Amino acid sequence: MIKNIILLFLFCGALSGLFAQTITIKDFETKKPLELVSISSENPKGYTTTNSKGQANISAFKNSEKIQIQILGYKKVVKSYANIQSIGFEILLETTSLNMDEVVISATRWRQNICNLPIKISSISPKEVELQNPQTAADLLNVSGKVFVQKSQQGGGSPMIRGFATNRLLYTVDGIRMNTAIFRSGNIQNVINIDPFAIENTEIMFGPGSLIYGSDAIGGVMSFQTLTPQFSFSDKALIKGKAVVRYSSANNEKTGHFDVNVGFENWAFITSFSSWNYDNLRQGSNGPDDYLKPYYVQTEDNVDRVITQNDPLLQIPSAYSQINVMQKVRFMPNDNWNFQYGFHYSETSPYGRYDRHNRVKNDLPRYAEWNYGPQIWMMNNLNITNESPNFAYDQMTLRLALQAFEESRIDRTLNKTDQNSTKEIVDAYSLNVDFVKAINAANTLYYGVEYIYNNVKSTGTVTDISTNTTTIAASRYPQSKWSSIAAFVNDEFRMLENLTIQAGLRYNQFILDSDFGNNLDFYPLPFETAKINNGSLTGSIGAVFRPTETWVVSANFGTAFRSPNVDDIGKIFDSEPNSVTVPNPDLQAETAYNFDLSLAKIFGNFLKFDVTGYYTILQNAMVRRNFELNGIDSIMYDGNMSQIQAIQNAAKANVYGIQAGLEVKFNSQFSFSSDLNYQVGEEELDDGSTSSSRHAAPLFGTSRINFGANGLNLELYANYQAECKFEDLPAEEQSKDEIYAKDENGNNYSPAWYTLNIKAMYALNDTFTISSGIENLTDVRYRPYSSGISAPARNFIFSLRTNF
């Protein structure tokens, strides 16, 4: 039976090769092929992109009266299939100064034109990534100028979007949810497991995304689309790839990467491998002395010694290394079916949490060790797409995924022999089935179902380093199972030629079952198990109005939610000195209500301005507050009498702000662009007063001047952040001496800063490209708001890339 099925697939594949029709798309001036050009049709429904030779199979578009061909930086072309056939299936695209049309894929899970979406979405192009040379995926997000990134250590990066962060933001890879049941409210670093070299496209959706992605998508969604295996559209196999080596001076970075694509008529394979090695990070020489920690702890023969650094600008310990592997296989037996399997693996070395190494007690370092163990992420995913129009759908996509996460924490107090360690392993299973159905020419339905299951295993140990004996200790989390079941529908209705309305609903049931039995010997908990079984109904409605080709006005009202997860209900940890956070089994979901209003306008084909205002209300917010266990408010924890705290539905929060962008094209070679982000967050405190929200960053932005001609690209840019005064710091941040600088009154604050930077990229020929740059030209010593480690000093970057 299996043999017959395989033969049938191969037979169908052979038939498809006989009738395949290939289009070739090139640059009008250079006549060079254009890769990743989007080709789409509404009737019949279809979508594809060009390979590295500018080729794509458009057999499925036959008889279409309107095929849209577009890529960022070029004028959109709309032609019928018959017209394309009459000109020999070759299209030449002309460059354009500015446009408002762009196809987005991953951020909305479906392929839609951005001009029909009432939500703000930003894309980061592969060319910009190649020029900027980001070291991690967190740095890649920073390239957008619209995402603020906090770091507690070099091996990290916690994005902040519109006053939200961590488990109120969502990450996806190839449409698969990356958030797990142990994503915490404190800063996280899971995003560094994603390989920037293996990313084909990055999209950031701002505002609520729960309609599509469910829990956690309150502030936004960051979607990473990895490299797609490309087919050959000729008799010869398509073999292409790239190899990159890079060096950076601020952390003595040594990075290598290669990927190779082998494509045949119906089968395609891509393999990717990356390796990074970072030394301790150097900070700038001009800035607050409060950021200097001119010592580190070294342990020899079980004796801790405080060592004075020869170079006080080095941040020790911050060194780490990482490897990433990706393997993808794609099979298209015919125009209707597309099978794609992906394997991803990422592992870091252990690395120090630098901000914890800055803590002091009795004028000595608080810790001899505070490290994260290896952070491991593995994903197997199968994506099956069928485009066979019928009464139920025009397109169906099935996504199956199994992810495995491992993380651990190791700490030891100075001059103590007990080394505490906790390890968490999460197995995450997910099933998504998404459908697209065009009801008529003006009405398209997007709907689907989702099932997610997380199994959380947590262990704790204490090791006496003097005797090397290990005993069982309290785990960070209870043994838990978290699941989510959901169904959703979204309708896109073109009411008028220049007016599109979108509206949708989602119902989500979330179930959490935790067993605290393994920790009852260590803490006086008044319960052994905790169960949550609750639901949430969310929705959105928005409209896009285009009075002219150069004007776009959009508005959107949407709701989002975050269900309690294992980190909320079951974590026992020290959130700050002399306090301990304990479980609260009575948590409910928090809900957000958001309104967006956006305007975009092109003036005279040389200037584009866009602005978005938003207001978000978060109710039933889960926040850390003082708590009691069996009538007591303090317990002994880690050798200290500590105030008991717990995550509670104890507050509401408001966040509002403006995102603005400006783009000016002086001519075909010179351009200027700028992004500015202003956000204000307020949350309720225990006494009814308000405080700034922890994740509402001060005013920040990026401004760029670009030049491009004859294979050379240059970019001079500035990154900047406004000051956050002591009185403007969130109440929970004001006492964190290890993070902030001191003002003239001796109070903690986050100083304003800016950096000047220059990047260059030159194509020596079709094969070799060199990139170089200098970041932080003036060698400023600065820390982005809420960060526990200073940003790199003046940083010289050199990269060599070969394409084959």
Side-chain angles (χ1 to χ4, degrees):
M1 179 65 180
I2 295 176
K3 181 180 178 181
N4 291 337
I5 293 174
I6 294 174
L7 289 174
L8 178 61
F9 270 129
L10 294 176
F11 177 70
C12 293
L15 285 179
S16 69
L18 293 175
F19 298 104
Q21 183 56 63
T22 302
I23 188 174
T24 303
I25 301 176
K26 301 178 180 179
D27 181 282
F28 180 82
E29 293 182 359
T30 66
K31 301 301 186 290
K32 290 185 177 181
L34 295 175
E35 186 178 2
L36 296 178
V37 177
S38 296
I39 307 171
S40 59
S41 167
E42 290 299 319
N43 187 22
K45 204 82 173 176
Y47 178 85
T48 189
T49 58
T50 56
N51 63 13
S52 61
K53 294 184 177 181
Q55 297 176 329
N57 179 6
I58 61 168
S59 302
F61 297 76
K62 193 170 185 179
N63 300 323
S64 175
E65 292 296 322
K66 190 178 181 181
I67 299 175
Q68 298 188 63
I69 302 169
Q70 60 193 106
I71 186 173
L72 195 63
Y74 289 82
K75 293 180 180 178
K76 181 173 70 173
V77 170
V78 181
K79 291 183 179 293
S80 68
Y81 185 92
N83 187 258
I84 294 173
Q85 186 178 33
S86 69
I87 57 177
F89 292 98
E90 182 173 289
I91 300 290
L92 302 179
L93 296 185
E94 299 180 55
T95 58
T96 183
S97 297
L98 303 162
N99 65 63
M100 294 188 183
D101 291 318
E102 184 181 347
V103 173
V104 293
I105 303 172
S106 54
T108 61
R109 209 195 291 269
W110 309 286
R111 305 176 189 98
Q112 292 177 276
N113 196 304
I114 201 168
C115 67
N116 294 328
L117 297 173
I119 53 179
K120 182 176 178 64
I121 294 178
S122 177
S123 297
I124 304 174
S125 71
K127 287 295 183 185
E128 182 68 12
V129 174
E130 187 178 347
L131 173 64
Q132 288 294 329
N133 272 306
Q135 292 188 347
T136 68
D139 298 330
L140 185 155
L141 291 168
N142 216 14
V143 167
S144 69
K146 303 176 181 69
V147 177
F148 191 90
V149 177
Q150 179 276 354
K151 292 187 178 183
S152 297
Q153 63 278 328
Q154 184 176 202
S158 188
M160 299 182 183
I161 298 177
R162 290 189 173 187
F164 296 101
T166 60
N167 55 17
R168 289 174 181 155
L169 299 177
L170 193 84
Y171 305 83
T172 72
V173 178
D174 293 341
I176 305 299
R177 174 192 181 94
M178 196 180 188
N179 292 40
T180 71
I182 64 169
F183 264 43
R184 58 188 182 273
S185 59
N187 298 306
I188 59 176
Q189 57 271 352
N190 300 73
V191 71
I192 68 170
N193 283 122
I194 301 170
D195 183 358
F197 290 110
I199 299 299
E200 187 173 270
N201 190 41
T202 303
E203 295 169 0
I204 306 159
M205 183 172 74
F206 297 89
S210 287
L211 173 64
I212 303 168
Y213 289 105
S215 179
D216 302 1
I218 290 178
V221 177
M222 292 155 286
S223 297
F224 300 90
Q225 183 70 36
T226 60
L227 298 172
T228 302
Q230 296 183 1
F231 297 111
S232 171
F233 297 105
S234 67
D235 295 335
K236 296 182 180 179
L238 172 65
I239 301 176
K240 56 159 286 189
K242 66 177 180 286
V244 181
V245 291
R246 185 175 66 210
Y247 173 80
S248 299
S249 63
N251 54 4
N252 197 26
E253 177 201 10
K254 297 176 285 291
T255 288
H257 166 82
F258 79 87
D259 63 69
V260 60
N261 181 101
V262 180
F264 302 97
E265 218 171 323
N266 305 104
W267 289 89
F269 309 84
I270 192 165
T271 302
S272 171
F273 175 81
S274 300
S275 174
W276 299 265
N277 187 284
Y278 305 110
D279 207 338
N280 293 308
L281 179 64
R282 177 184 298 276
Q283 58 187 320
S285 58
N286 306 308
D289 289 342
D290 305 294
Y291 296 155
L292 297 177
K293 181 180 73 69
Y295 61 84
Y296 63 95
V297 177
Q298 182 174 295
T299 304
E300 296 180 356
D301 299 325
N302 299 325
V303 176
D304 296 329
R305 294 180 174 87
V306 180
I307 308 297
T308 300
Q309 294 179 196
N310 294 326
D311 185 352
L313 298 181
L314 283 179
Q315 301 176 94
I316 305 175
S318 59
Y320 82 104
S321 60
Q322 180 175 334
I323 61 166
N324 273 62
V325 178
M326 183 184 78
Q327 178 65 57
K328 299 179 83 172
V329 180
R330 187 181 178 196
F331 174 56
M332 284 191 69
N334 52 51
D335 293 335
N336 298 329
W337 288 95
N338 188 346
F339 298 83
Q340 192 171 161
Y341 165 76
F343 170 78
H344 303 260
Y345 181 83
S346 173
E347 180 174 354
T348 71
S349 67
Y351 51 94
R353 179 166 171 177
Y354 187 75
D355 62 340
R356 294 297 173 94
H357 283 272
N358 278 343
R359 289 186 176 178
V360 296
K361 184 178 182 180
N362 299 326
D363 297 324
L364 289 172
R366 172 73 172 83
Y367 295 102
E369 301 176 63
W370 211 118
N371 304 318
Y372 287 108
Q375 181 172 291
I376 299 173
W377 169 62
M378 182 179 71
M379 179 169 77
N380 291 273
N381 70 296
L382 177 65
N383 188 316
I384 302 173
T385 300
N386 175 243
E387 297 185 1
S388 302
N390 55 58
F391 75 95
Y393 64 85
D394 298 324
Q395 181 190 88
M396 180 274 294
T397 301
L398 169 69
R399 293 180 178 90
L400 288 167
L402 166 61
Q403 299 179 80
F405 300 82
E406 181 179 318
E407 57 187 55
S408 56
R409 295 160 178 80
I410 305 100
D411 71 81
R412 184 172 60 83
T413 301
L414 185 72
N415 296 326
K416 301 292 184 180
T417 60
D418 284 349
Q419 182 191 69
N420 305 300
S421 177
T422 60
K423 178 185 285 188
E424 286 72 52
I425 296 175
V426 180
D427 294 322
Y429 305 83
S430 62
L431 165 67
N432 293 88
V433 188
D434 300 322
F435 302 93
V436 180
K437 178 61 181 177
I439 306 301
N440 51 50
N443 208 2
T444 302
L445 278 180
Y446 304 87
Y447 63 100
V449 293
E450 176 184 78
Y451 176 72
I452 299 169
Y453 174 79
N454 283 194
N455 185 23
V456 179
K457 291 168 277 189
S458 182
T459 58
T461 59
V462 174
T463 300
D464 187 326
I465 65 169
S466 64
T467 62
N468 203 29
T469 57
T470 299
T471 57
I472 301 296
S475 61
R476 181 178 173 88
Y477 298 115
Q479 312 311 303
S480 303
K481 295 174 174 58
W482 182 92
S483 58
S484 170
I485 306 168
F488 62 91
V489 61
N490 186 62
D491 183 35
E492 178 183 306
F493 177 53
R494 186 179 292 274
M495 181 175 289
L496 302 171
E497 188 62 30
N498 58 358
L499 176 63
T500 302
I501 296 174
Q502 291 212 29
L505 287 173
R506 176 190 183 100
Y507 182 76
N508 217 116
Q509 191 75 14
F510 47 89
I511 304 164
L512 174 59
D513 190 349
S514 294
D515 183 350
F516 294 87
N518 57 327
N519 278 340
L520 292 179
D521 292 336
F522 305 100
Y523 301 108
L525 302 179
F527 45 80
E528 186 171 343
T529 62
K531 299 179 184 293
I532 293 177
N533 190 338
N534 212 332
S536 181
L537 179 67
T538 55
S540 70
I541 184 169
V544 181
F545 178 56
R546 301 190 67 161
T548 70
E549 284 296 314
T550 60
W551 261 109
V552 176
V553 182
S554 63
N556 189 71
F557 174 77
T559 63
F561 76 99
R562 186 174 79 81
S563 65
N565 65 17
V566 178
D567 184 83
D568 298 312
I569 197 174
K571 179 170 61 178
I572 301 174
F573 79 113
D574 56 330
S575 56
E576 56 193 40
N578 301 316
S579 69
V580 57
T581 298
V582 301
N584 177 9
D586 298 321
L587 280 175
Q588 299 177 0
E590 56 187 22
T591 304
Y593 303 88
N594 178 82
F595 178 74
D596 277 62
L597 179 63
S598 299
L599 303 172
K601 170 67 175 173
I602 293 177
F603 299 88
N605 204 34
F606 74 94
L607 186 150
K608 178 183 176 182
F609 176 74
D610 66 89
V611 61
T612 299
Y614 59 89
Y615 196 102
T616 305
I617 300 172
L618 184 67
Q619 293 187 341
N620 237 14
M622 287 183 266
V623 292
R624 193 169 53 244
R625 294 287 184 263
N626 290 343
F627 194 67
E628 290 188 355
L629 275 179
N630 296 329
I632 59 174
D633 60 9
S634 298
I635 60 174
M636 289 297 297
Y637 180 78
D638 198 21
N640 297 309
M641 182 59 69
S642 301
Q643 168 69 53
I644 298 175
Q645 297 183 327
I647 305 296
Q648 304 172 54
N649 296 111
K652 61 182 179 180
N654 301 317
V655 180
Y656 57 90
I658 292 176
Q659 295 176 287
L662 178 68
E663 190 175 352
V664 182
K665 297 286 188 180
F666 299 110
N667 54 41
S668 60
Q669 297 177 335
F670 281 97
S671 65
F672 169 82
S673 63
S674 189
D675 290 288
L676 198 63
N677 306 270
Y678 173 75
Q679 48 276 315
V680 176
E682 298 177 343
E683 66 176 34
E684 183 183 9
L685 299 179
D686 287 340
D687 59 4
S689 62
T690 59
S691 169
S692 301
S693 295
R694 177 184 177 187
H695 295 129
L699 175 80
F700 72 95
T702 301
S703 298
R704 320 166 190 85
I705 298 175
N706 290 86
F707 170 81
N710 301 319
L712 175 65
N713 287 288
L714 286 172
E715 183 169 295
L716 175 65
Y717 65 99
N719 294 327
Y720 38 86
Q721 174 209 291
E723 177 184 76
C724 186
K725 298 179 180 179
F726 173 76
E727 53 268 28
D728 295 327
L729 282 176
E732 61 183 308
E733 296 288 294
Q734 292 178 346
S735 62
K736 294 183 178 179
D737 296 333
E738 70 272 19
I739 288 180
Y740 295 102
K742 300 291 186 182
D743 63 18
E744 57 187 10
N745 298 316
N747 294 319
N748 292 325
Y749 84 116
S750 180
W753 55 264
Y754 71 89
T755 63
L756 298 176
N757 318 269
I758 187 168
K759 297 288 175 65
M761 183 170 64
Y762 181 65
L764 299 172
N765 49 45
D766 290 340
T767 302
F768 292 100
T769 301
I770 57 173
S771 300
S772 62
I774 308 175
E775 297 175 337
N776 193 2
L777 282 161
T778 56
D779 204 27
V780 177
R781 184 186 309 137
Y782 71 100
R783 286 185 183 177
Y785 163 76
S786 191
S787 292
I789 189 169
S790 298
R794 184 184 296 119
N795 189 26
F796 296 89
I797 303 168
F798 179 80
S799 173
L800 176 64
R801 175 187 177 119
T802 177
N803 295 294
F804 58 89

